[in-house]
């Protein structure tokens, strides 16, 4: 039995969506980041980094969305979340996912979730730096109608996490980011995503 450790609305949402899209059998274990549950000895024994997501498998624990998305896709090939038959297509997916993990996530995370919160010029600068990342996605990385082209993939649920955050913060301007806005609506309309949002107590944005 797979066990996903997640916090509602956080980046683990991508792994939750992948498991649901794959039709996987899994259990959910909620970790309340605001209450500091990620720092408890119990959770640190699962993921010493003290972050979510973490996916417990029969062979051990996998962390990091990029790795979990690939694992879920490989163990549930019938879901078609990744094109493993085309090495170039697989590499493109990994590149997009790795960019979100290493570039987009830190940028928007700094702008929105720094503790203590950024203020004044520091906040404005962080937001502009984050929006430059969204510009890159909008204008160059996003293919359409899905993130990687004609077929839905694991990348779509991952991208949705960050476009949700931006829209909730009033940063995903429809004029500046028309493709990302349309994609967010499209992804949130998927039945699997709707189920995940309901379970996590979230509404489409």
């Amino acid at each position: 039995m797979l066990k996903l450790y997640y916090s509602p609305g956080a980046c683990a949402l991508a792994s939750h969506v992948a498991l649901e899209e794959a039709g996987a059998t899994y259990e959910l274990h909620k970790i309340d980041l605001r209450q500091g549950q990620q720092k408890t000895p119990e959770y640190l024994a699962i993921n010493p980094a003290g972050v979510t997501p973490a996916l417990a498998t029969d062979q051990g624990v996998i962390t990091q969305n990029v790795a979990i998305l690939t694992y879920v896709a490989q163990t549930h090939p019938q879901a078609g979340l990744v094109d493993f038959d085309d090495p170039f297509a697989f590499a493109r997916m990994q590149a997009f996912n790795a960019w979100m993990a290493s570039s987009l996530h830190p940028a928007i995370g700094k702008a929105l979730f720094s503790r203590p919160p950024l203020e004044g010029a520091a906040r404005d600068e962080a937001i502009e730096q984050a929006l430059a990342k969204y510009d890159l996605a909008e204008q160059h990385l996003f293919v359409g109608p899905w993130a990687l082209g004609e077929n839905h993939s694991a990348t779509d649920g991952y991208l949705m996490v960050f476009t949700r955050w931006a829209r909730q913060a009033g940063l995903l301007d429809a004029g500046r980011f028309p493709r990302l806005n349309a994609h967010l609506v499209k992804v949130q309309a998927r039945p699997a995503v709707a189920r995940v949002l309901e379970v996590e107590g979230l509404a489409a944005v």
Side-chain angles (χ1 to χ4, degrees):
M1 172 71 74
L2 299 173
K3 298 179 182 179
L4 178 68
Y5 295 84
Y6 79 105
S7 182
C11 69
L13 179 62
S15 290
H16 191 178
V17 166
L19 288 165
E20 191 66 24
E21 290 278 10
T25 301
Y26 63 97
E27 294 178 356
L28 288 172
H29 293 263
K30 181 180 175 181
I31 303 297
D32 192 327
L33 300 181
R34 290 187 176 87
Q35 295 298 320
Q37 291 180 353
Q38 73 277 19
K39 300 176 182 178
T40 63
E42 293 79 10
Y43 186 66
L44 290 174
I46 296 165
N47 184 4
V51 295
T52 61
L55 183 69
T57 76
D58 291 339
Q59 295 173 286
V61 175
I62 302 170
T63 62
Q64 302 296 325
N65 275 307
V66 174
I68 293 172
L69 296 181
T70 304
Y71 175 84
V72 171
Q74 285 182 313
T75 53
H76 300 79
Q78 73 285 352
L81 293 176
V82 172
D83 185 354
F84 291 109
D85 295 328
D86 184 337
F88 183 77
F90 177 63
R92 284 181 60 246
M93 183 207 76
Q94 291 291 73
F96 201 145
N97 290 350
W99 174 80
M100 287 190 281
S102 65
S103 187
L104 181 59
H105 188 177
I108 191 62
K110 178 180 179 180
L112 299 182
F113 307 125
S114 291
R115 293 292 178 268
L118 298 179
E119 297 180 351
R123 183 176 186 275
D124 292 342
E125 181 180 358
I127 288 175
E128 282 308 309
Q129 290 177 352
L131 291 178
K133 307 295 184 182
Y134 286 90
D135 281 330
L136 181 61
E138 172 78 23
Q139 298 169 19
H140 300 288
L141 300 179
F142 182 82
V143 178
W146 300 104
L148 299 175
E150 293 298 322
N151 298 317
H152 171 268
S153 73
T155 298
D156 293 292
Y158 199 10
L159 180 58
M160 178 197 71
V161 172
F162 305 116
T163 50
R164 277 179 57 87
W165 291 358
R167 181 178 281 181
Q168 287 172 312
L171 301 177
L172 200 69
D173 181 76
R176 184 170 177 176
F177 305 109
R179 303 172 79 206
L180 293 182
N181 272 281
H183 176 261
L184 175 56
V185 172
K186 188 178 179 72
V187 175
Q188 290 182 130
R190 291 181 65 83
V193 175
R195 291 193 296 270
V196 167
L197 294 178
E198 182 177 6
V199 168
E200 294 200 13
L202 306 171
V205 298

